Amino acid sequence: MASVSDLKLGKKLNEGKTKQIFELLDEPGHVLVQSKDQITAGNAVRKDQMEGKAAIANKTTSCVFRLLQDAGIKTAFVRQHSETAFVASQCEMIPIEWVCRRIATGSFLKRNPGVKEGYRFSPLKTEMFFKDDANNDPQWSEEQLLVAGLEPADLTIGRCEVDIMNKSTVAIFEILEKAWATQNCTLVDMKIEFGVNVSTKEVVLADVIDNDSWRLWPAGDRSQQKDKQVYRDLKEVTPEAMQMVKRNFEWVSEQVKLLLEPQTVGRVVVLMGSTSDMAHCERIRKACSSYGIPCNLRVTSAHKGPDETLRIKAEYEGDGMPTVFVAVAGRSNGLGPVMSGNTAYPVINCPPVTPDWGAQDIWSSLRMPSGEDLFLMV
């Protein structure tokens, strides 16, 4: 991976508690975001060095932004440049932290007496806070943001921009929540920031998303929390305690990489009455493959071997993977109805229509006994 020295850095545009931002002379409109080995809490009231944090945070941020971009979210992220830095589109930041919550905990409980920890927000709870360290980042309403007259990169933040940020915050949380769920980890809440791209004047997700940005509870258990809250909760900062915090951050950075790996979330199982239907079934498998959906082909006749048909059904029900069955049989089509009457999974009838028997094949796939849900695909 390249080093920062490979780039021609211009002036330092900004420096925060955990990162520095530099102009890139050879890439107009882009900046270098350089992470620091510093961890803070309480608006830097607590501040410590944690060797290796810059690399951990940069790896986490780069993976998260790639995941969000793959899902269609507009971000400032361009590419990871080195172990501790990434290249981003230059933005003027909107001085608002957007917070999205699934579970009530932390500061929300202090601001809302009577709400018990663990209360689940459905729909998600969104809040915004004006970035002002001197006043402990006061909570703002949408109305306050609208009348503030903020103009980052000469773009007035009005109703349209507020709606974009509000809806994007929810979408970003839901994407990451579902991604973390694949690792049996609960995304409890998170904070993000937006900026205005100085070149395109678009509102985009900017800044960073790393282990400072969220609460993560493996298996939904707060006692296993892996986020920065562990550091906030330390009664005394000792070398041993900092090693524990670092191990948590490293765990998150390794798990985040898994979120980028394709997840097999379901499959299609095509059941054909005989091998004479193979060409028709191959077209179904090819269509599934174009969407990245695994597709298995099996031969079974509900008329000639009902026990075998139900055994195959049980085989796919047994591993818990979501499955859609497609029944390919013509003429007196009993395959679809038998499957539909014996499984809770969706069943689609897709008869191999021919000029001679086409109308009869479809008719036999439409007449179902009462109490059965069956779909027809032709």
Side-chain angles (χ1 to χ4, degrees):
M1 189 168 291
S3 65
V4 173
S5 60
D6 296 331
L7 298 174
K8 290 185 178 180
L9 300 184
K11 63 182 179 180
K12 184 192 297 183
L13 300 175
N14 196 6
E15 181 167 6
K17 295 184 283 288
T18 60
K19 60 186 174 297
Q20 299 170 311
I21 300 176
F22 296 93
E23 180 183 26
L24 290 181
L25 298 179
D26 288 343
E27 297 186 40
H30 287 170
V31 296
L32 184 75
V33 182
Q34 175 68 55
S35 295
K36 296 157 63 172
D37 281 344
Q38 184 164 271
I39 184 170
T40 69
N43 283 330
V45 172
R46 170 176 283 182
K47 179 170 56 177
D48 291 283
Q49 291 295 112
M50 190 171 86
E51 184 181 356
K53 180 179 181 293
I56 296 169
N58 188 57
K59 180 163 65 173
T60 302
T61 286
S62 298
C63 287
V64 170
F65 273 83
R66 288 201 295 269
L67 174 66
L68 292 173
Q69 286 179 333
D70 288 345
I73 300 295
K74 292 183 178 180
T75 82
F77 181 83
V78 175
R79 67 181 186 276
Q80 183 176 352
H81 175 71
S82 68
E83 286 191 352
T84 60
F86 68 90
V87 175
S89 300
Q90 184 174 354
C91 296
E92 284 194 22
M93 297 302 295
I94 301 167
I96 295 290
E97 274 189 357
W98 288 82
V99 176
C100 196
R101 304 180 187 275
R102 176 63 77 189
I103 297 173
T105 190
S107 65
F108 183 88
L109 302 180
K110 296 178 182 178
R111 291 182 285 107
N112 297 272
V115 179
K116 293 183 179 180
E117 182 168 47
Y119 181 91
R120 187 174 180 84
F121 298 111
S122 185
L124 291 162
K125 170 73 70 175
T126 58
E127 301 173 305
M128 67 179 78
F129 299 85
F130 180 66
K131 289 177 65 65
D132 181 0
D133 287 352
N135 291 299
N136 294 316
D137 298 341
Q139 185 173 4
W140 271 22
S141 65
E142 285 192 4
E143 290 75 19
Q144 285 174 290
L145 179 53
L146 288 169
V147 302
L150 301 176
E151 294 185 342
D154 296 323
L155 177 69
T156 301
I157 303 302
R159 169 51 62 187
C160 179
E161 289 71 28
V162 172
D163 286 346
I164 288 172
M165 290 186 283
N166 196 355
K167 292 177 181 178
S168 295
T169 297
V170 172
I172 289 163
F173 186 96
E174 290 181 337
I175 291 166
L176 294 177
E177 179 182 40
K178 289 178 172 61
W180 275 113
T182 66
Q183 306 304 313
N184 192 27
C185 196
T186 298
L187 180 62
V188 175
D189 55 34
M190 69 178 300
K191 61 181 181 182
I192 57 176
E193 296 181 37
F194 295 89
V196 177
N197 186 311
V198 297
S199 300
T200 66
K201 306 302 180 183
E202 288 183 296
V203 175
V204 298
L205 177 66
D207 196 51
V208 300
I209 298 179
D210 57 23
N211 209 30
D212 293 2
S213 306
W214 50 34
R215 283 187 176 90
L216 289 173
W217 296 353
D221 184 355
R222 181 183 174 177
S223 68
Q224 299 183 48
Q225 61 188 358
K226 298 293 185 181
D227 50 80
K228 195 174 75 170
Q229 191 62 40
V230 175
Y231 173 73
R232 297 188 187 102
D233 291 343
L234 291 177
K235 294 181 179 179
E236 183 181 0
V237 178
T238 64
E240 294 76 18
M242 289 303 295
Q243 281 300 311
M244 176 188 66
V245 173
K246 183 177 180 179
R247 285 195 297 271
N248 285 344
F249 275 59
E250 289 173 335
W251 182 90
V252 170
S253 70
E254 290 302 316
Q255 293 297 309
V256 157
K257 290 193 300 183
L258 299 178
L259 305 186
L260 290 172
E261 296 180 1
Q263 301 291 327
T264 301
V265 296
R267 67 185 164 210
V268 169
V269 176
V270 179
L271 304 175
M272 67 189 87
S274 71
T275 54
S276 63
D277 300 324
M278 185 63 72
H280 183 71
C281 294
E282 285 291 354
R283 288 196 293 271
I284 297 173
R285 179 155 62 182
K286 183 177 180 181
C288 290
S289 297
S290 69
Y291 291 101
I293 302 172
C295 181
N296 299 335
L297 305 184
R298 302 292 294 268
V299 179
T300 183
S301 170
H303 288 100
K304 300 175 182 178
D307 290 344
E308 175 66 8
T309 298
L310 295 180
R311 189 198 65 77
I312 292 173
K313 172 197 72 77
E315 175 186 331
Y316 289 102
E317 290 176 327
D319 62 8
M321 181 180 291
T323 301
V324 173
F325 291 106
V326 177
V328 176
R331 300 197 178 187
S332 179
N333 182 4
L335 186 55
V338 167
M339 288 296 297
S340 181
N342 288 278
T343 182
Y345 285 137
V347 179
I348 298 173
N349 255 342
C350 187
V353 178
T354 63
D356 294 336
W357 287 93
Q360 293 92 329
D361 287 352
I362 293 175
W363 188 239
S364 73
S365 296
L366 285 173
R367 291 177 65 102
M368 297 294 114
S370 63
E372 293 186 11
D373 294 319
L374 193 60
F375 304 94
L376 176 67
M377 180 173 65
V378 293

